[in-house]
Amino acid sequence: MLARPVDFMDCALSLAGLALGYTSPNPAVGAVVVRDGVVAGLGHTQTPGSVHAEVMALQQAGDRARGATLYVTLEPCCHQGRTPPCTQAIIDAGVSEVHMALLDPNPLVLGNGLKQLEEAGIKTFVGEYEEKAREINEGYLKFITTGLPFVIAKFAMSLDGKIATQNGDSKWISGDEARKFVHYLRHIVDAVMVGANTIVIDDPQLSARGCSGRGGKTKLQPLRVIVDGRGRTPLSARVFAEPGKTLIAVAKPFDARKAEALRKAGAEVVELAAERDEIDLAELLVVLGRRQVTSVLVEGGNKLFGSLFDRGLVDKVLAFISPIIIGGDQAKSAIGGQGVSKVAEALCLSQARISEFGDDVLISGYLAGK
C-alpha cells in the first residue's frame, strides 16, 4: 500500500494550533520548511517577543533551507516589531518558494510581506486551507482589524433548552468530555466573561485547569471579567482565590466603599456607563480591546447572553446540548433579553458544525454577517 503524501500546509496548521493560548496579541502561526520532499524544519509562534514560526523553522532547517519550500499559515511579517521581519529571514535563508494559507490583515503587513518575497524572486502561493487558517486566528483577525475582541457565546442546555432547573441547579448539564473541552477553550482565549448572577449562584472558578501546563500559571490564566452593575459579587467568591486577574465591570457612579472592598479581595474595578444598572457592553468590549484582549469566552448567564445577542455583539456560538429533559415553567433558557418578534428575524449561524463530546452534542457556528 502506498503511503499517503504528506500535506505540509495541514502540518503547519497543526503547529499553529499548538501556539494557541500563548501568543496573544500576536497571531498563532505554524511553519514547515521542506527540502526535496523531506521536512527540514518545524516552527510555531513563541510567546510575544520571542521568535516567530518562520524563524524557528528556518533555524531548525539551517543550510537545508536554501532552495527549500516554506509552508506558513499566515503571511510573514515584513516590519520591525519586537523581533526583526520574517520576510528578510526567509530571503536571507535562500528559500525558493513560499506557500501562505492566509494574508495578514494587519495594516503593517497586508500584502507587503507577499510583495517583498516576490520582489526577491521567491515564488509565492496563497490560499491553501484558508478557512481553517482563519478559524485558528479568528480572534486575532477581528482584533487587528477592529481593535475589538472576538466574542464567543458558550452555553450548555438540555434538549428542552434549559440551562438550570427552576431552583437554579445546573450541575451538571453537560458531561465530563464537554467540560474538559471548556477548559481547553479557556486555555486559548484571553478572557472569560460572566454576569453577576452566575457568580452569586454558581460560584465558578473561571480558570483553565489541566491544559498543557497552563492551569495554575498566573500570567497565562485568562482574564476573568464579571459584569456586575450593582457590585453584588461576594468577597468570598472563588474567583478571588484563583491564579490570574479578575476585572469587575460596575455601573458608574459606584459606591467607593464597595469598590475598595472588591479591590482588597483581589479585583480590578472598572466603572462604565450603564442604564438601570445594565453595563454598556459595547463600551466594555472597547475597554478590553484597549488592553489587547483579542478574544472573550462568555459563559453566562441568561441576562448577559440576552444583552450581547440583542446588541449584535456576539461573533461565534458554541452550544452544548445534553440528552436530558429538565422542564419547568420557571426554569431559565440559555438566552434572555428582548429577542426577536418573528421567527423570520431570528439570528442565524453560518458555517454550522456538529461535534460529539460523549453523550453531548456541540453545535457551533458564526453569526451571519459577522
Side-chain angles (χ1 to χ4, degrees):
M1 181 182 295
L2 294 175
R4 189 178 68 178
V6 176
D7 190 327
F8 298 116
M9 184 61 81
D10 194 39
C11 177
L13 288 163
S14 295
L15 290 167
L18 294 177
L20 284 173
Y22 300 101
T23 66
S24 184
N26 294 336
V29 180
V32 179
V33 176
V34 180
R35 174 75 179 270
D36 299 325
V38 178
V39 173
L42 302 171
H44 58 76
T45 314
Q46 302 300 294
T47 54
S50 300
V51 296
H52 289 189
E54 302 93 320
V55 173
M56 183 178 179
L58 290 170
Q59 288 176 345
Q60 191 177 107
D63 292 339
R64 291 176 295 171
R66 188 159 299 279
T69 298
L70 171 67
Y71 294 83
V72 62
T73 59
L74 189 68
E75 179 183 8
C77 66
C78 54
H79 62 286
Q80 176 70 48
R82 281 181 282 190
T83 59
C86 290
T87 49
Q88 192 59 52
I90 295 168
I91 294 168
D92 292 344
V95 171
S96 63
E97 192 172 296
V98 177
H99 294 245
M100 311 167 211
L102 183 67
L103 292 181
D104 188 345
N106 184 337
L108 295 174
V109 186
L110 194 54
N112 290 317
L114 174 70
K115 182 180 178 182
Q116 284 188 13
L117 295 177
E118 290 178 337
E119 289 177 345
I122 297 174
K123 293 181 181 179
T124 60
F125 302 86
V126 180
E128 297 171 45
Y129 289 91
E130 180 177 345
E131 185 176 320
K132 188 173 181 180
R134 284 187 177 279
E135 183 177 4
I136 288 174
N137 276 308
E138 56 196 12
Y140 166 79
L141 294 174
K142 181 184 179 184
F143 174 75
I144 204 66
T145 54
T146 68
L148 298 172
F150 185 84
V151 178
I152 306 166
K154 187 279 300 180
F155 49 88
M157 64 183 184
S158 61
L159 277 176
D160 54 335
K162 307 296 185 181
I163 59 172
T165 68
Q166 58 189 350
N167 298 321
D169 179 56
S170 61
K171 293 184 174 59
W172 295 101
I173 288 179
S174 56
D176 288 343
E177 290 189 31
R179 296 201 301 277
K180 287 177 182 177
F181 182 67
V182 171
H183 281 288
Y184 166 72
L185 294 173
R186 292 177 183 174
H187 168 77
I188 65 173
V189 298
D190 290 344
V192 177
M193 181 186 294
V194 296
N197 284 341
T198 298
I199 295 294
V200 172
I201 296 171
D202 295 337
D203 195 18
Q205 293 167 270
L206 300 181
S207 55
R209 302 186 293 278
C211 295
S212 304
R214 173 170 179 168
K217 292 187 177 181
T218 302
K219 66 179 181 179
L220 291 178
Q221 283 292 328
L223 173 68
R224 295 180 289 274
V225 180
I226 303 172
V227 180
D228 186 5
R230 290 179 286 161
R232 295 188 296 121
T233 299
L235 300 180
S236 60
R238 290 201 294 173
V239 291
F240 298 131
E242 289 294 304
K245 298 180 180 180
T246 299
L247 182 153
I248 300 181
V250 298
K252 64 179 179 183
F254 189 67
D255 185 279
R257 287 176 298 178
K258 275 189 178 182
E260 183 59 24
L262 289 170
R263 291 189 183 101
K264 287 182 177 179
E268 177 185 357
V269 179
V270 176
E271 296 186 35
L272 297 173
E275 185 175 342
R276 296 189 299 276
D277 292 328
E278 290 191 19
I279 299 294
D280 184 335
L281 296 174
E283 183 184 359
L284 174 56
L285 292 178
V286 169
V287 168
L288 295 177
R290 287 173 181 161
R291 294 169 182 238
Q292 295 194 308
V293 171
T294 67
S295 55
V296 178
L297 179 67
V298 184
E299 297 198 34
N302 164 285
K303 183 178 178 181
L304 177 58
F305 280 139
S307 296
L308 287 167
F309 278 104
D310 284 345
R311 289 163 176 74
L313 299 176
V314 176
D315 296 294
K316 188 175 186 178
V317 174
L318 299 175
F320 289 95
I321 302 174
S322 180
I324 60 175
I325 305 292
I326 291 178
D329 291 338
Q330 302 304 312
K332 285 188 176 180
S333 61
I335 314 298
Q338 296 178 350
V340 298
S341 57
K342 298 178 181 179
V343 172
E345 299 171 347
L347 301 176
C348 298
L349 296 185
S350 63
Q351 301 178 51
R353 185 182 303 166
I354 298 176
S355 310
E356 294 183 8
F357 290 84
D359 292 333
D360 300 321
V361 172
L362 170 64
I363 297 178
S364 60
Y366 300 89
L367 268 295
K370 287 287 187 173

